[in-house]
Amino acid sequence: QVHLVESGGGLVQAGGSLRLSCAASIRSSNAYNMAWFRQAPGKEREFVAALRRTGGYTYYADSLKGRFSISRESAKNTVYLQMNSLTVEDTAVYYCAAGTQIQSAIRDQHSYSNWGQGTQVTVSS
């Protein structure tokens, strides 16, 4: 239904920036909410940011708001995650996800039906 491919991960120094990309190949006529999640070693997967399928509304984890931003280029079917002022604690595998859930569930990883393979982000001190 939706094939997602993340890219842009890598090694960056603390205080630096990185932009992740999620290219979506959508075969369905549905509009999709798009989101980023991350999973650090030994920790549960957590919500990072989301973009609602209509209206362009954005959502962020409270701890990340102001440093991370989500955006899209509709013509390219691509969603981005701009990450600034990175810290070692931001080190994780970052996953792109797509879903048709209602607004109240947009932060819930279990409500997403489509996932990318993930891209590693490593922040060094």
Side-chain angles (χ1 to χ4, degrees):
Q1 190 172 28
V2 181
H3 181 60
L4 305 174
V5 179
E6 303 98 330
S7 63
L11 177 65
V12 64
Q13 290 182 295
S17 299
L18 206 61
R19 188 179 75 162
L20 306 182
S21 298
C22 175
S25 298
I26 302 175
R27 307 300 294 274
S28 172
S29 61
N30 291 329
Y32 288 86
N33 301 316
M34 302 296 296
W36 289 94
F37 292 81
R38 70 183 185 183
Q39 187 166 20
K43 296 184 178 180
E44 297 295 321
R45 187 173 299 182
E46 65 177 348
F47 172 76
V48 174
L51 181 65
R52 205 160 85 189
R53 56 185 174 178
T54 59
Y57 298 101
T58 57
Y59 307 79
Y60 298 95
D62 289 341
S63 62
L64 303 178
K65 190 174 184 179
R67 292 198 298 118
F68 288 15
S69 64
I70 187 171
S71 62
R72 71 174 183 177
E73 291 188 61
S74 297
K76 298 180 179 180
N77 289 325
T78 301
V79 176
Y80 303 96
L81 181 69
Q82 179 66 46
M83 306 184 293
N84 300 320
S85 301
L86 288 164
T87 70
V88 174
E89 289 70 37
D90 294 317
T91 295
V93 177
Y94 284 72
Y95 297 91
C96 179
T100 56
Q101 67 274 91
I102 60 175
Q103 178 179 319
S104 61
I106 204 165
R107 296 171 182 263
D108 181 6
Q109 64 175 303
H110 301 294
S111 69
Y112 287 85
S113 57
N114 300 276
W115 293 85
Q117 293 295 310
T119 185
Q120 176 71 48
V121 172
T122 302
V123 184
S124 62
S125 61

